[in-house]
Amino acid sequence: MDQSKQKILDNIRRHTHEKYEMPDLSFQHITYEDKLQTFLNISAGVGGRAELLGEGESVDQAIQRLYPDAKRVASNLPEVHVATYNPDEIETPRELNGTDLVVIRGEFGVCENGAVYIEQSYKHRAIYFIAEAMVIILDRNALVDTMHEAYQKVPRELSNEFRGFISGPSKTADIEQALVKGAHGARETVVLLV
């Protein structure tokens, strides 16, 4: 347990005068027989989409198939040639406005919730939230069963300014209990499993 978490727990104990033992977390977590199919199904269930790269299809062809009308496509990935600009060459995040699609790389995916772990690989983290749609390129062999397993894979040291999990498109139901997509980020998210 890191020092800041331990300090918070110690302060709570000191003020509540109660102490509880840490629960045993060594129980067996769920495992999926077919991780790939589970990830595809769960991704659809959270409002996103995951697709396998077609046999003989390039990443560029898949992006064009998925988003044929995207005019302003951002990417700094070397295998993406259909990008219309590299967002790392933009001076201010304001210039990212109007981005139809951003293509990013995921580190690994989580079967139980369709989430993909990402680390900031762009100069401006606004690109993850300002684009209308997002394609996350993910190695199909980089899938784990649960968030318990996922947290074990997250590096302890922060190597980038921003990192986190993305599960489907941005969505909220806080406003008048109506589901709104794209409120805080991309309206559509596709995980392209390569």
Side-chain angles (χ1 to χ4, degrees):
M1 187 175 338
D2 66 28
Q3 291 178 351
S4 60
K5 184 176 180 181
Q6 188 61 52
K7 185 178 179 180
I8 291 168
L9 291 172
D10 290 343
N11 281 335
I12 291 170
R13 286 185 186 113
R14 191 170 55 246
H15 289 91
T16 61
H17 306 290
E18 296 179 37
K19 184 171 181 168
Y20 300 96
E21 295 302 317
M22 290 291 288
D24 178 19
L25 299 177
S26 61
F27 57 89
Q28 181 64 38
H29 299 287
I30 191 168
T31 56
Y32 298 98
E33 193 171 311
D34 187 344
K35 285 183 175 67
L36 193 55
Q37 191 58 53
T38 300
F39 187 81
L40 293 168
N41 294 342
I42 297 294
S43 294
V46 298
R49 194 162 99 212
E51 285 196 14
L52 290 167
L53 185 67
E55 192 166 327
E57 184 178 45
S58 71
V59 169
D60 284 335
Q61 289 168 332
I63 293 167
Q64 288 176 319
R65 174 178 52 79
L66 292 165
Y67 293 98
D69 299 328
K71 302 285 185 249
R72 194 157 188 241
V73 179
S75 184
N76 68 359
L77 302 180
E79 67 270 34
V80 177
H81 302 99
V82 294
T84 60
Y85 77 104
N86 181 341
D88 292 342
E89 296 171 357
I90 299 293
E91 289 302 315
T92 66
R94 179 176 287 130
E95 296 173 73
L96 300 170
N97 195 21
T99 300
D100 297 314
L101 176 66
V102 62
V103 183
I104 68 173
R105 185 175 323 284
E107 301 298 320
F108 60 87
V110 185
C111 294
E112 78 174 341
N113 60 8
V116 177
Y117 175 75
I118 64 160
E119 291 192 351
Q120 182 173 347
S121 60
Y122 287 99
K123 179 178 167 182
H124 304 290
R125 78 181 95 178
I127 193 63
Y128 299 100
F129 308 100
I130 201 164
E132 291 294 316
M134 176 182 292
V135 170
I136 303 172
I137 297 175
L138 180 65
D139 181 339
R140 69 178 72 192
N141 298 309
L143 297 174
V144 297
D145 292 307
T146 65
M147 287 301 290
H148 295 281
E149 195 177 344
Y151 282 129
Q152 297 303 313
K153 288 181 65 79
V154 172
R156 298 287 178 232
E157 298 298 319
L158 182 61
S159 57
N160 295 297
E161 292 180 21
F162 170 78
R163 61 185 177 174
F165 290 90
I166 295 176
S167 181
S170 166
K171 51 198 167 293
T172 182
D174 295 345
I175 305 163
E176 298 180 14
Q177 297 181 356
L179 181 63
V180 177
K181 289 187 179 180
H184 310 293
R187 292 177 194 266
E188 294 180 12
T189 301
V190 175
V191 179
L192 186 60
L193 295 151
V194 297

